[in-house]
Amino acid sequence: MTDAAIVGRQYQCVVVDDLKRTQIVQYAGASGDYNPLHTDERYAVEVAKSPSVFAHGMLTAGMTAHGLRTLFGAAPVLRFGGRFLDKVWPGDSLTLTATVAGTQDQGDRHVVTLDLVTTNQRGRAVYKGSADLVLDPPTS
């Protein structure tokens, strides 16, 4: 991947368009986290006083990580992490913006640090984090 490691360069992709309740329930099954806040509409509304069920935070993180694969293919990921800033609701569409924050040569590897922000369709950040990937160095 040439010129991918220019500091300040931004990459963007949609990680989910119109998140379905079914996807949230499927994630509950895959993760084993059946908290009724994520799977039971009646419980979420009547007991927890939430407007609806909402996605697991780790589902949001997983979709963000998948976005890295969409943008950078099979580039080795050395570090990935972040924090959840807001709930993700059924019907939300999420977009990942990855900004090159820095680069460093580590022996024969060119490591790129990315700042990550995942936003919903209203432009509100729901996840913010960073990742280190091994990418080809920029060409001169």
Side-chain angles (χ1 to χ4, degrees), residues 7-30:
V7 173
R9 182 161 184 188
Q10 288 192 330
Y11 299 86
Q12 200 170 63
C13 71
V14 173
V15 296
V16 66
D17 185 31
D18 187 18
L19 179 67
K20 304 292 186 204
R21 291 171 192 268
T22 303
Q23 291 171 284
I24 296 171
V25 173
Q26 288 172 327
Y27 181 81

Side-chain angles (χ1 to χ4, degrees), residues 24-133:
I24 296 171
V25 173
Q26 288 172 327
Y27 181 81
S31 68
D33 180 353
Y34 291 101
N35 185 317
L37 288 171
H38 306 299
T39 58
D40 185 335
E41 181 74 15
R42 187 172 179 177
Y43 176 88
V45 172
E46 293 177 11
V47 177
K49 307 299 183 205
S50 176
S52 179
V53 295
F54 53 92
H56 303 72
M58 289 307 291
L59 175 56
T60 303
M63 290 185 292
T64 298
H66 181 73
L68 286 177
R69 286 289 176 237
T70 300
L71 294 171
F72 300 102
V77 177
L78 303 178
R79 183 185 58 80
F80 173 85
R83 58 191 173 99
F84 312 111
L85 303 176
D86 206 352
K87 291 182 174 84
V88 173
W89 305 97
D92 276 356
S93 295
L94 303 180
T95 300
L96 166 63
T97 302
T99 305
V100 178
T103 65
Q104 181 181 32
D105 288 325
Q106 295 180 354
D108 60 347
R109 302 188 307 186
H110 188 71
V111 178
V112 176
T113 298
L114 300 167
D115 289 335
L116 310 173
V117 180
T118 302
T119 55
N120 63 21
Q121 68 279 5
R122 293 176 298 284
R124 184 170 176 96
V126 296
Y127 182 87
K128 188 177 273 191
S130 62
D132 291 339
L133 278 66

